[in-house]
Amino acid sequence: MREALKASNRQAGAYKGWVTRWKTTAEGLELERKRLEVEVETHLHDKRVLSTQLEAISKDYQSMGTVLAKLEHFENAVDELRRLKLVADEQSLSAGYWSANAQNDLRSGVDDFLEAVDQLMDDEWVAPSQSSTAS
């Protein structure tokens, strides 16, 4: 009888051990699930923050496009003025003076340059289309 009681208690203890192990496993799984929920929420929050930052960067980049167009227009005006000056200087070396056409070209180049400077300073300036700058 004593041996049967020991065996019964041993079996009941084994069942309790299994129950305890499964409870512990279930609690661990529940903690892992909660940790993953927090991680998902953190990632969603980070995604919202990054989305907001991306929108701000996009707006800044769009405004930088206008500044870049202004600078390119300015550089083109400087290059054209430099080219006109070189042509006028070559004519001066060969003929000894600037012709009326060279003087008019230089005036026009200076006017274009000053216009480019004004446009560079103007916040509402819109870049000319590529077809008009190519001609």
Side-chain angles (χ1 to χ4, degrees):
M1 172 92 169
R2 182 146 174 89
E3 290 301 318
L5 185 58
K6 283 182 182 178
S8 175
N9 285 342
R10 196 174 303 123
Q11 191 172 8
Y15 288 135
K16 284 184 182 179
W18 277 100
V19 169
T20 303
R21 268 185 253 142
W22 283 108
K23 279 185 178 179
T24 304
T25 302
E27 288 172 356
L29 291 172
E30 182 64 21
L31 286 174
E32 179 69 13
R33 185 185 66 78
K34 287 181 180 179
R35 186 189 66 77
L36 289 174
E37 283 179 358
V38 169
E39 190 174 334
V40 166
E41 286 298 319
T42 303
H43 287 306
L44 289 175
H45 173 71
D46 290 346
K47 181 180 176 183
R48 287 189 293 269
V49 168
L50 289 174
S51 175
T52 303
Q53 290 175 350
L54 185 60
E55 286 178 21
I57 290 170
S58 176
K59 288 177 185 175
D60 290 345
Y61 181 73
Q62 288 173 352
S63 67
M64 287 175 63
T66 303
V67 171
L68 181 62
K70 287 179 180 182
L71 289 175
E72 286 175 351
H73 187 67
F74 178 75
E75 286 176 350
N76 291 339
V78 169
D79 290 342
E80 182 64 16
L81 184 60
R82 182 179 294 125
R83 186 189 67 76
L84 291 171
K85 173 73 166 85
L86 288 174
V87 168
D89 286 344
E90 286 176 9
Q91 183 184 33
S92 174
L93 287 174
S94 65
Y97 60 92
W98 286 355
S99 69
N101 286 340
Q103 291 176 10
N104 288 335
D105 287 345
L106 282 173
R107 277 190 200 102
S108 173
V110 169
D111 287 343
D112 290 344
F113 172 76
L114 292 175
E115 182 181 321
V117 170
D118 288 341
Q119 290 172 347
L120 187 62
M121 303 305 286
D122 184 8
D123 290 336
E124 297 177 9
W125 179 78
V126 177
S129 62
Q130 290 295 335
S131 61
S132 66
T133 59
S135 52

